[in-house]
Amino acid sequence: MKLPPLLLVLMLSAGVVPGAYAQVSAANSAASAAAVENGLRPAFDIAGEMPARWTIEERMEHWRVPGVSIAVIRGGKLLWAKGYGVLQRGRPEKVDADTMFSVGSVSKVAAAGIALRMVDAGILDLDRDVNAYLRRWKVPANDLVAQSPVTLRGLMSHSAGLTVHGFPDFQPGAALPTVFDTLDGRPPAVTAPVRVTYAPGSHWRYSGGGITVEQLLIEDVSGIAFNAAARRYLFEPLGMRRSSYEATIGDKWGNIAKAHGPDGAARALPRGYESMPEIAASGLWTTPSDYARYVIAMIRSYNDREGGFLANATAQQMMTEVGVSPYGLGPQLGGHGVDRIFSHGGSNDSYKAWMEGHLATGDGVVIFTNGENGDGLLKEIRRAVAAAEGWRMGGSITIPAATPSPDMLRAYVGHYRVASPSTIASQRSLAFSLDVKDIEIAMREDRLGVTYRDSEGNKLEDTLISEGGSWFVEADDGVEQVEFVRGYDGKVSGLVIHNDDYSMDAQLIR
């Protein structure tokens, strides 16, 4: 693409990389980047009040995140990619479009692409018992797998009945577990054994342990290490030259975003980053530009009857929920029609990441950060991208200025027990990503706070913002809504959690 010399100089001096995969207007790229940089916003605006808008630098300082990198996709093409901030607090090296980040569970969606390329090649079958492929370790036999075997389709959609939600990172100098240590829960692994605890296909539960089985399966069938398989089936075909599945990324790569804690201080010193030995589940290092190539390839494969990176039929299956799971073969799925998206977040100890693609429009965004507080920042950036690109969903919502009285709010305080899910919709509900059983509503100053707890004691907390009447929206993302239910006697009896696709209910027990 031939750019006017002055505009090209301005864009390059600002660190904006124009669309590299097809013709994209440089002016559109620069305008979109500027709108995002100056348009970060909360999940909700209050009617009649001046909406809060921030610059990316202001919010990086607020969240104590030293570095962030963004790639925006429009119509199946990279619109722009740009880095902000520094690789490491206290050092001058800048984040740019080629900076590599640890991307946490965003690794899982890329790992799915490797497996599906092997499916297309006739090397793997989505519905065959994985023990038929595994050579060096087997999924332990029990009555549950006798009913229904663990399959690759089940592993990628988190519906194979396997345990272990996620994995902690390892500090420099720490002994790293092998894949077999992780699967059997023995030191130096620090998580429980990966085992089947419900009949595959009968329920869903997010399982990094299942993706680790997928990792071993790919290695056993290909006969090569997982990172080599990634190069063969993913990185080289898509030109992802700044991507690697290495438990400990080497200095040979250079330009690596370093780790930072919640206070914004550098951690994992002196090296400056942790190790993620469960590489398929959480060990990918890449750039937003590289990952955008993969997002674009999936969109094109899904829409092109002739296929592309994936066969069209395979891509269609990838983007279809499996049974009771809200996941397809790798990504989480949501929305309908022109708003249909695939997405995934990533959360290692010091890095937070987000990716999403819009199947009908070819739009998307990839955001990587190098701070433990990066979740808050990337949500604000994602909303700014949605507004700048005119997406119908994902921007700030507007809520009424009036709020319920303290007495009204106190009526909703209590402990709620989630009803046993009996339908596909209730089992897919987003809140079941932690297998939520209990919900606590409490007063936090002049607002309601909500705490979700699962059967293992994990919890998620948020603040509820009134939308009027008995309806509230979660402040963190402005997506999930909580509706309190009053019975025939006027007393609060339960609540319903709604999101764009599913809902679930809980009864007040005290």
Side-chain angles (χ1 to χ4, degrees), residues 133-356:
Y133 294 115
L134 293 167
R135 298 188 176 94
R136 295 172 290 166
W137 181 90
K138 301 287 186 181
V139 176
N142 62 24
D143 291 342
L144 297 170
V145 294
Q147 297 176 38
S148 179
V150 172
T151 65
L152 183 57
R153 188 188 303 274
L155 295 176
M156 288 195 284
S157 61
H158 302 284
S159 58
L162 288 160
T163 57
V164 184
H165 183 277
F167 305 99
D169 302 345
F170 286 76
Q171 295 301 308
L176 302 183
T178 66
V179 66
F180 309 106
D181 294 332
T182 296
L183 291 171
D184 286 328
R186 61 174 180 256
V190 294
T191 46
V194 177
R195 297 293 186 263
V196 174
T197 58
Y198 65 81
S202 65
H203 188 56
W204 83 274
R205 175 176 53 205
Y206 189 87
S207 174
I211 305 304
T212 305
V213 176
E214 178 189 348
Q215 172 188 326
L216 182 61
L217 184 154
I218 288 171
E219 290 186 337
D220 280 356
V221 172
S222 67
I224 55 179
F226 187 80
N227 191 42
R231 285 197 302 271
R232 176 185 296 178
Y233 292 105
L234 178 62
F235 301 153
E236 291 178 358
L238 294 181
M240 297 170 66
R241 298 181 178 86
R242 297 279 297 165
S243 300
S244 179
Y245 277 102
E246 296 177 69
T248 303
I249 191 95
D251 291 336
K252 64 183 179 182
W253 288 97
N255 196 4
I256 298 169
K258 301 302 178 65
H260 298 85
D263 58 357
R267 56 165 41 165
L269 300 172
R271 187 177 68 205
Y273 50 86
E274 297 93 348
S275 297
M276 283 63 72
E278 294 81 17
I279 51 178
S282 60
L284 177 63
W285 289 83
T286 186
T287 72
S289 299
D290 260 16
Y291 207 95
R293 292 178 180 268
Y294 179 51
V295 173
I296 292 167
M298 290 191 287
I299 292 171
R300 290 177 177 172
S301 298
Y302 178 86
N303 287 294
D304 189 344
R305 295 296 184 190
E306 300 301 319
F309 174 72
L310 296 176
N312 180 250
T314 303
Q316 293 279 337
Q317 291 195 69
M318 183 184 197
M319 302 302 173
T320 301
E321 292 91 344
V322 176
V324 297
S325 174
Y327 287 81
L329 304 182
Q332 187 170 354
L333 302 168
H336 310 278
V338 296
D339 296 319
R340 181 72 164 165
I341 69 168
F342 62 98
S343 64
H344 213 292
S347 182
N348 283 341
D349 290 349
S350 305
Y351 301 87
K352 309 301 174 184
W354 178 257
M355 59 74 54
E356 74 175 76

